[in-house]
Amino acid sequence: MEEDHLRNSDKKSTSLNVGFFYLRLLGNDLNKLLCLRSDRVYTIGRNPKHCKIVIDSPAISRRHCQILLSRSDCKLRLIDGSFESPRCDPSRIGSKCKVCRVSSNGVFVNGRRLPRGVVAELNVGDLILLCVKKKYGFVVEKIVFSKVNQNVLSDTTVSLRAESLLGQLRSIVSSHDPVSYLRTLRNVDSTIRSADSEKPLNKDVADKDEISNPSSNREPDVGCRSDGKTFFLNRLTCIDHGVPDQSMGVTLPQLLHPVVTLTQIFIATFTCDVSWFLDYCEIPNQLPITIACHNKERCWSASQDSRTAVPFSSYPNLLLVYPRFPDEIAFGKDRKKHGVACHHPKLIILHRRDTMRVVITSANLVSRQWDHITNTVWWQDFPSRKIANYSSLFGPTEEDKADFGAHLAGFIASLINDIPSQAHWIDLLAKYDFGEATCHLIASVPGVYAQNPSYLKSNYSLCAKQVLNMNSHPGNYLGCVHTSVVGLSHRFGASVDSNGGQFKMLATILGRCQENSSGTVEVILKRNMHIPADANAVSVIIKDKDVNSDGDSILLGFLPKEIAKWVSPLSDSALLSFSAFIYPKETLEAAYAGANTRVQLLLYLSKGPNFDRMTELIHEGLLLASLCSLLALLKRSFGLWRLQEVLSQHKWPESLETEFIYGSSSVGTSVSPDFLAAFSTAAGKKSYNYSDSQESDPEWGRWRAEHELRKPSIKFLFPTIDRVRSGVCGGLLSRYLLCLSEKTWQRLRPMGLFHDAIPYPSHRIGYPMHVKVACRRFQSRADGNSFGWIYCGSHNFSPAAWGQTLHPSPSPLGPKLHICNYELGIVFLYPEHSSSGEARINIDSVKLPFVTPAPKYKPEDRPATPQAMREVFAEAQSLVANLMEEMNGVSEVDDDEDEQIIEVSEEGDEERIYAEMLLGQALVIEMWPSQNPIMRIIMITRSFYVTEFY
């Protein structure tokens, strides 16, 4: 096979009328023989809109390749991908025509992959594969011309066949494994013979041959087992062949094995190659699959239609989901301006009839990260319950002491919120027992969060469409949602309360209310079922506690529409009851200002009378979708605060610490001494040794930024540019993987944080790492036993992933945590003293993916920043230019270069309009009670006309 860039042929043009070439398709259409004309560009792919030759398979790209028989020089040419202009001729590549994105799975001519931008000249007998594993492709069977000049093309068929055989011999000699390559040719040759005889291959036999074929891209699938007490690494296909030991790594197909027993799959990832996944793991066409992934435009879009996509008609049950980023982290509070945010978790849930496997990894759903780059992989199988336990979705219960299932349910709910067709995943999680989870889940969800409030005793609750006057019971408490009251400006603004009468009444009532220990007062929630604008409307009322008269109360506003949407169904069904609290001072200030200011409201939920009947009632109407929305907003600890919550369960003596390390592929641009101190504090770091009596004060010995500047607490592991340069492919695999800006490096360099990241075990040296692993190790003086904790997951070392602590102007809820990304990871605890008589595990039994202790950077060392890698690649550009073009990866890094902290305190336009409409119709109902139905209908109709733009 001859490959080069052709501009002008040196051969003399012959006088030809027309030419034809015959292609024998391989794959599902074995008997199909195509006859195609010369001087026409034929596009081959799966998109019938743009392709003349359609191969309907997810393994084939939309426009996979293009082929042309040129009449001018009798050449049949092929190129991977397609041209930007349909008028471009592959024989003239190199002038003004440019190739668009190449195919996902490549084009292989006689076993050798066609590089990007290179034109291949095809001969009779050449084998072209568009998917090696599935053997989709074609064979060039014949090329004919009418009135051919014999001087130019004498014995054409014989000479072309000889050139084809010579090309195959060259491919065999240059192959890394000639024997396997010959086997591949033998299998393909048998496929062609079967096609020539017009007898389709027996599918069962073909599948069996493929499983036992040593030349397959991966080894036969075998199951993998884990008790969940440690993590593993993925299997690098380029160096681990023939090693069956699971300790050498696991593959994605092994995790899914056996695929035939799967009933549905849920995946959360940053980048994804869906076609590769379906093909590589041999996913059945009808298997329900949900993949939550990142898309900048879709995740920021306000349109509900942008939240999902069905990419393949041949996989009707495969749904792509784009989790929504909240308004409060957008630039200028405007979704159209976007903001710093990233959907970055790596989660796989494999549901079978009796078990649910939860996989948490650092690898995205792309072949490069599973096959050629080191990543961590953790999984554990959980058994099904005899009876669903919905209490476990809210937090630990007497039956289930662990909170793994509750945090998993909350995280998944945040990804599929407002997608009713996916709410069944929440119902499914209630049917499995996560009580034996060996680790703690650490999730990050974008937003600005306050500390979780403590339980507050209430006197009123909304349940079964009624306001119940009864004391709450702590045993029924399920959690809290931090929301707001909308509509204050329409109740107390100057335009509606010109003499200030409503405001004075509000001040009088609030003055008589007694604040509780949290500085809040209780308000009453009341259903408004007769307001046409929203059948789910819930009003917020303040009642005078010193007066028994029903008239001594005032309408403060309403619950936001998105909150009332799920509060009403869950309370109407008596599954849950709701009570609420506000901060009186903040409420008065907002009412006095008359501006569109949010008033915070703490919404507490408890078990309702029908809670135990949830199994039979939850599938009625929109109750399941409402439960999903509730779990997505339920107050939980995220990021740094969740890490601190988990680690505070044990004592970590400062004097016994031996090492505190963090290795990740990305370092946030806003990493500072303040963030380092916040992370260390969450990890249990103190400024000095302390006694037990001093631990009760959280401020005692707090690790601060000045301590970081004086003595950095963390050793950060990141590869040097020399290590990347000496890696496989000269560091090209790391090009779109590592992220540490030159500016950040220069800012942190004086602190002496950086240490070289050397892969472990040694056979992984030379291959980049995409792991995110933290470890804090201690050693006992009494017996020399080591203990501590280990984190692994998707969190890179950045405030965007872990959260940045905010200290706003005096707030009743104290400091806040600003998180930009969706992230997910786990923490293993190895305490100094075990509980319940369990055997103590030595932390050193867990093998980290890098060498420890890691060597500190020398003065001349430099990390693999993008600038450093550009300089290295520039030096070697002449040697690796073609390979660089072929590496068409997607950046995996968190781009928080423009990270800004934004607090949202005002109502949005939608909330303001919603509140205005509800108030207008609520006042009409008050003025024209039920004995005046005609006037009531007239006034409500008028209110609709006024607010028809809603």
Side-chain angles (χ1 to χ4, degrees), residues 644 652-655 657 680-690 694-704 707 713 776:
Q644 186 171 18
W652 310 105
E654 288 294 321
S655 60
E657 180 189 303
S680 297
T681 297
K685 188 77 176 176
K686 293 287 184 178
S687 60
Y688 51 82
N689 298 334
Y690 52 90
Q694 294 170 332
E695 288 185 12
S696 60
D697 183 359
E699 294 299 320
W700 186 274
R702 179 181 291 274
W703 189 262
R704 304 183 186 279
H707 300 125
S713 58
R776 194 176 182 207

Side-chain angles (χ1 to χ4, degrees), residues 528-574:
N528 293 92
M529 294 171 288
H530 303 295
I531 298 182
D534 186 6
N536 292 321
V538 178
S539 57
V540 180
I541 300 171
I542 299 179
K543 182 178 175 61
D544 193 335
K545 299 299 176 64
D546 292 338
V547 181
N548 294 324
S549 172
D550 292 336
D552 290 88
S553 62
I554 187 170
L555 176 65
L556 185 64
F558 297 88
L559 291 183
K561 184 178 182 180
E562 293 301 310
I563 303 297
K565 181 175 65 176
W566 51 263
V567 167
S568 293
L570 293 173
S571 64
D572 291 353
S573 62

Side-chain angles (χ1 to χ4, degrees), residues 743-763:
K743 183 178 178 181
T744 303
W745 154 243
Q746 295 297 340
R747 189 177 70 250
L748 299 178
R749 182 177 186 177
M751 298 180 66
L753 300 171
F754 285 85
H755 294 66
D756 195 7
I758 305 175
Y760 181 85
S762 59
H763 64 264

Side-chain angles (χ1 to χ4, degrees), residues 449-732:
Y449 302 98
Q451 293 282 5
N452 291 341
S454 58
Y455 169 75
L456 296 175
K457 183 179 179 181
S458 63
N459 298 309
Y460 298 93
S461 62
L462 174 63
C463 185
K465 303 180 182 180
Q466 303 178 54
V467 178
L468 303 180
N469 188 354
M470 56 184 295
N471 294 333
S472 60
H473 190 279
N476 293 327
Y477 174 68
L478 294 174
C480 174
V481 172
H482 191 186
T483 181
S484 61
V485 182
V486 298
L488 261 74
S489 61
H490 304 292
R491 291 287 290 147
F492 306 100
S495 59
V496 294
D497 188 24
S498 57
N499 61 358
Q502 292 292 316
F503 176 77
K504 293 176 183 178
M505 184 176 179
L506 174 65
T508 301
I509 293 178
L510 286 177
R512 292 175 180 171
C513 295
Q514 184 175 358
E515 296 182 10
N516 53 32
S517 58
S518 66
T520 62
V521 297
E522 186 176 6
V523 293
I524 298 174
L525 301 178
K526 182 180 179 180
R527 285 284 280 113
N528 293 92
M529 294 171 288
H530 303 295
I531 298 182
D534 186 6
N536 292 321
V538 178
S539 57
V540 180
I541 300 171
I542 299 179
K543 182 178 175 61
D544 193 335
K545 299 299 176 64
D546 292 338
V547 181
N548 294 324
S549 172
D550 292 336
D552 290 88
S553 62
I554 187 170
L555 176 65
L556 185 64
F558 297 88
L559 291 183
K561 184 178 182 180
E562 293 301 310
I563 303 297
K565 181 175 65 176
W566 51 263
V567 167
S568 293
L570 293 173
S571 64
D572 291 353
S573 62
L575 289 176
L576 299 176
S577 63
F578 295 88
S579 56
F581 299 83
I582 61 169
Y583 293 93
K585 183 179 179 181
E586 179 187 63
T587 302
L588 278 176
E589 291 176 349
Y592 180 78
N596 299 316
T597 305
R598 292 175 184 255
V599 171
Q600 299 178 88
L601 181 140
L602 301 180
L603 183 65
Y604 283 73
L605 54 140
S606 301
K607 296 178 181 178
N610 290 337
F611 186 84
D612 293 335
R613 297 179 55 203
M614 188 173 290
T615 302
E616 61 180 282
L617 298 177
I618 194 64
H619 299 286
E620 296 180 2
L622 296 176
L623 287 177
L624 189 56
S626 298
L627 179 62
C628 180
S629 297
L630 165 59
L631 293 175
L633 298 175
L634 194 67
K635 288 291 293 182
R636 306 182 197 274
S637 297
F638 295 122
L640 287 180
W641 288 356
R642 171 59 176 169
L643 182 66
Q644 186 171 18
E645 180 180 77
V646 170
L647 296 181
S648 63
Q649 299 176 24
H650 300 279
K651 297 179 181 179
W652 310 105
E654 288 294 321
S655 60
L656 301 183
E657 180 189 303
T658 60
E659 195 161 43
F660 189 7
I661 56 177
Y662 198 124
S664 75
S665 58
S666 177
V667 181
T669 57
S670 53
V671 169
S672 64
D674 286 325
F675 174 72
L676 291 168
F679 185 86
S680 297
T681 297
K685 188 77 176 176
K686 293 287 184 178
S687 60
Y688 51 82
N689 298 334
Y690 52 90
S691 64
D692 292 341
S693 62
Q694 294 170 332
E695 288 185 12
S696 60
D697 183 359
E699 294 299 320
W700 186 274
R702 179 181 291 274
W703 189 262
R704 304 183 186 279
E706 55 264 27
H707 300 125
E708 284 291 342
L709 292 171
R710 190 162 52 246
K711 185 181 179 182
S713 58
I714 304 174
K715 296 177 181 177
F716 193 81
L717 276 60
F718 198 85
T720 63
I721 188 61
D722 290 337
R723 181 161 303 283
V724 170
R725 181 192 287 112
S726 61
V728 175
C729 299
L732 281 174

Side-chain angles (χ1 to χ4, degrees), residues 236-239 366-375 665 719 723-739 764-770 864 869 873 880 883-884 886-893:
L236 300 182
T237 57
C238 41
I239 59 176
V366 292
S367 61
R368 192 164 64 109
Q369 292 197 9
W370 280 96
D371 293 341
H372 305 295
I373 296 170
T374 294
N375 280 282
S665 58
R723 181 161 303 283
V724 170
R725 181 192 287 112
S726 61
V728 175
C729 299
L732 281 174
L733 286 173
S734 301
R735 186 181 183 191
Y736 298 103
L737 201 72
L738 304 176
C739 181
R764 292 179 179 267
I765 293 178
Y767 295 87
M769 294 188 294
H770 186 245
M869 285 193 283
F873 294 143
V880 297
L883 186 57
M884 286 174 63
E886 187 176 348
M887 297 300 294
N888 198 23
V890 181
S891 176
E892 154 66 19
V893 302

Side-chain angles (χ1 to χ4, degrees), residues 1-3 78 107-114 120-123 126-129 167-168 171 181:
M1 183 187 68
E2 182 181 356
E3 298 177 356
L78 175 75
V107 175
F108 295 81
V109 180
N110 296 326
R112 301 187 67 179
R113 183 163 186 168
L114 189 61
E121 293 185 5
L122 303 182
N123 301 310
D126 280 349
L127 166 66
I128 291 84
L129 291 179
Q168 291 189 12
S171 299
Y181 184 81

Side-chain angles (χ1 to χ4, degrees), residues 175-191:
S175 174
H176 293 293
D177 189 351
V179 176
S180 296
Y181 184 81
L182 285 171
R183 288 195 182 104
T184 302
L185 291 180
R186 181 194 65 188
N187 292 339
V188 173
D189 190 46
S190 66
T191 302

Side-chain angles (χ1 to χ4, degrees), residues 305-355:
D305 295 336
S306 299
R307 295 285 308 282
T308 59
V310 180
F312 303 120
S313 59
S314 56
Y315 284 81
N317 297 322
L318 189 156
L319 183 71
L320 297 184
V321 173
Y322 305 99
R324 188 175 182 179
F325 296 139
D327 298 347
E328 58 190 347
I329 65 170
F331 292 135
K333 300 168 290 186
D334 185 355
R335 296 187 64 82
K336 296 179 182 179
K337 297 180 180 179
H338 297 181
V340 177
C342 181
H343 179 265
H344 195 251
K346 298 91 172 61
L347 166 70
I348 303 174
I349 296 180
L350 306 172
H351 177 244
R352 293 181 168 89
R353 181 177 179 182
D354 298 320
T355 63

